Amino acid sequence: MLTGINKIGDLEWEVPIGYVPDMRVPGRFFLSRTLAETLEEGAVRQLANVATLPGIVKHSLAMPDIHWGYGFPIGGVAAFDMTEGVISPGGVGFDINCGVRLITTPLTEADLARRKRELIERLFDAVPTGVGAKSALRVSNKDLSAVMVDGARWAVERGLGTEADLVRCEGEGAMPGADPDAVSAKARQRGVPQLGTLGAGNHFLEVQVAKEIVDPEAAKTFGIAEGQVCFMVHCGSRGLGHQVATDHLRTLEGAVAKYGIRLPDRQLACAPLDSPEGRAYYGGMVCAANYAWANRQVIMHEARKVFAHLFGIDYDEMQLIYDVAHNVAKFERHDVDGVSTEVCVHRKGATRAFGPGAEGVPSEYAAIGQPVIIPGSMGTSSYLLHGTTAAMQKTWGSTCHGAGRVLSRSKAKKEVRGKELRERLAGEGIVVRAHSDTALAEEAPAVYKPSQEVVRVVHEAGLSHIVARLEPLGVIKG
DNA sequence: ATGTAC
């Protein structure tokens, strides 16, 4: 699996120039021997292919949850310079701004005890789930334009959250540069009825307990303590983001020839950052990213109401720790050979992990670094970490995003029985609520790389440091 | 991930 790849550190590997033709920079990825057993040769080739793109700076990177994706590998990170560089939907993913947020409650596991099943049922009723899920919100086309520009703020201004929530979102829950004109009527049509819906696949809303505090100082700063019940929301931009990606891929496939870009794989369709096509994709992508932040904000609001009603606690006692994007391209300033330089960082299945003092980290967290939230697969631990200076130096301030899939959905359906899985998890005290047992089978823990191993690698490689481990108590899924 | 296929 690692033929032609050089080991350059305990957990660090280099894909040399020449691994595929026309590489401009080497590839680098972070992986343990254990994870190397499931490394796909195709994903490494994709990492190398990304290194052929114009304007790529330093390295084509991948995190330990690397696996095969559309064009770029999932777990991939790549930065492009502002003059020669390109922007590529394949480097972001179809689910633009898929991401995670983590919220604390004042409850303990004992407080939930007999009402856990009821809580999960109420959450399942309050948050629409499933592929075609429709929202209870009535969003007009004009509202949608505002959502695409203002992101999470749109929801907060309508009473679906607090100002404090916004400070605790990456980029305060919105990115600049939204261009609603770069979002097609079809994308709008898909987005209007879906704001505040969870979706399907690996998306979830999970009730968890902070089982283990690894870094007490950081935990205190983030406001989380051992034994505390939390909940986590993992979802993205739904049909709107998917449509934005699909629409712009088509125009960018045309742009590749227009700008004379040679690609080893047409799935790497891209355009210069400073081109009409590249700017249009960026503007549309930002709209979808902002929609996703509003989406997670609305879902958190609905879940807070359920907790407040069921347990008689105050809305404000449920504090957002942070919200991270793990599928997005952003303009950021980073050190390039000792010079602070603006680059376009693509993170596809990778989480920003800015370290202490970095610009963009909320002031209350500045001494620690930003919170990094890594969801586990169903029934396995999730992790709260913090960003590091090493990540700033090695990976454009990036770390992993979770457990990569190792078994396809079709294989999972053949090998796992959803009903048995649900019963087994119930035996472990984990209440699962979904529309179908088939949907559960596709998301069985066995079809994912072990998240604790992925997290161990980023922790030991210094790309982010573990603050707390969270165990699932109950989960709602599509 | 996704009105799970143009």
Side-chain angles (χ1 to χ4, degrees), chain A residues 54-95:
Chain A
I56 187 165
V57 186
K58 281 164 79 167
H59 306 103
S60 171
L61 296 159
M63 303 299 117
D65 45 352
I66 179 172
H67 58 290
W68 188 89
Y70 183 92
F72 286 55
I74 296 161
V77 177
F80 296 87
D81 78 52
M82 298 299 290
T83 50
E84 304 290 318
V86 293
I87 186 163
S88 173
V92 171
F94 278 84
D95 190 8

Side-chain angles (χ1 to χ4, degrees), chain A residues 128 133-139 143-144 147 151 154-155 158 160 190-198 236-238 290-299:
Chain A
K134 298 263 170 68
S135 174
L137 284 182
R138 293 232 291 267
V139 174
D143 289 333
L144 188 68
V147 167
W154 179 88
R158 275 147 195 83
L160 312 175
R190 292 178 72 175
V192 159
Q194 293 187 329
L195 189 66
T197 65
L198 194 61
S237 50
R238 309 287 284 107
N290 292 345
Y291 177 96
W293 270 304
N295 195 32
R296 291 195 288 274
Q297 181 69 33
V298 173
I299 291 171

Side-chain angles (χ1 to χ4, degrees), chain A residues 186-241:
Chain A
K186 198 172 175 183
R188 282 179 168 273
Q189 205 172 30
R190 292 178 72 175
V192 159
Q194 293 187 329
L195 189 66
T197 65
L198 194 61
N202 64 2
H203 291 165
F204 64 73
L205 190 163
E206 190 166 276
V207 180
Q208 307 168 334
V209 59
K211 207 68 181 181
E212 194 181 344
I213 300 295
V214 177
D215 181 340
E217 189 199 344
K220 196 175 173 208
T221 302
F222 291 166
I224 189 169
E226 191 180 329
Q228 193 167 10
V229 169
C230 307
F231 65 96
M232 185 176 279
V233 178
H234 178 205
C235 66
S237 50
R238 309 287 284 107
L240 184 140

Side-chain angles (χ1 to χ4, degrees), chain A residues 144-423:
Chain A
L144 188 68
S145 298
V147 167
M148 295 191 296
V149 173
D150 296 334
R153 176 169 294 283
W154 179 88
V156 168
E157 283 176 354
R158 275 147 195 83
L160 312 175
T162 67
E163 284 289 328
D165 296 338
L166 298 177
V167 178
R168 291 167 172 204
C169 291
E170 184 173 317
E172 304 196 356
M175 283 170 64
D179 178 6
D181 290 340
V183 177
S184 68
K186 198 172 175 183
R188 282 179 168 273
Q189 205 172 30
R190 292 178 72 175
V192 159
Q194 293 187 329
L195 189 66
T197 65
L198 194 61
N202 64 2
H203 291 165
F204 64 73
L205 190 163
E206 190 166 276
V207 180
Q208 307 168 334
V209 59
K211 207 68 181 181
E212 194 181 344
I213 300 295
V214 177
D215 181 340
E217 189 199 344
K220 196 175 173 208
T221 302
F222 291 166
I224 189 169
E226 191 180 329
Q228 193 167 10
V229 169
C230 307
F231 65 96
M232 185 176 279
V233 178
H234 178 205
C235 66
S237 50
R238 309 287 284 107
L240 184 140
H242 193 273
Q243 193 63 46
V244 166
T246 304
D247 291 340
H248 285 271
L249 268 167
R250 193 170 306 136
T251 57
L252 291 175
E253 277 171 7
V256 169
K258 178 179 169 186
Y259 296 107
I261 300 168
R262 282 182 52 199
L263 296 179
D265 176 356
R266 67 178 292 191
Q267 292 185 353
L268 293 172
C270 59
L273 284 163
D274 186 23
S275 68
E277 297 86 352
R279 281 195 297 270
Y281 169 64
Y282 179 77
M285 180 208 71
V286 170
C287 288
N290 292 345
Y291 177 96
W293 270 304
N295 195 32
R296 291 195 288 274
Q297 181 69 33
V298 173
I299 291 171
M300 174 178 74
H301 172 74
E302 292 302 326
R304 271 176 169 163
K305 285 201 301 186
V306 168
F307 273 95
H309 181 255
L310 207 53
F311 296 100
I313 56 177
D314 287 343
Y315 189 93
D316 292 338
E317 288 183 279
M318 289 164 276
Q319 291 281 323
L320 176 62
I321 291 183
Y322 207 56
D323 177 304
V324 295
H326 55 222
N327 274 8
V328 80
K330 299 176 111 175
F331 294 106
E332 296 171 356
R333 295 200 79 83
H334 287 277
D335 182 288
V336 179
D337 303 327
V339 181
S340 171
T341 308
E342 186 176 29
V343 289
C344 181
V345 182
H346 292 56
R347 296 189 182 91
K348 181 195 195 173
T351 312
R352 202 186 71 171
F354 281 5
E359 195 184 335
V361 177
S363 57
E364 60 187 325
Y365 300 152
I368 302 291
Q370 74 162 87
V372 169
I373 305 161
I374 306 300
S377 53
M378 188 170 36
T380 67
S381 293
S382 295
Y383 292 84
L384 174 65
L385 301 89
H386 69 77
T388 62
T389 303
M392 304 308 287
Q393 292 163 347
K394 288 188 169 185
T395 57
W396 311 112
S398 310
T399 188
C400 67
H401 86 307
R405 187 172 271 279
V406 288
L407 215 59
S408 71
R409 291 185 183 281
S410 51
K411 278 185 183 167
K413 272 188 271 196
K414 281 179 196 155
E415 295 184 18
V416 184
R417 293 193 193 287
K419 184 164 178 286
E420 283 171 19
L421 174 63
R422 184 160 48 76
E423 287 165 357

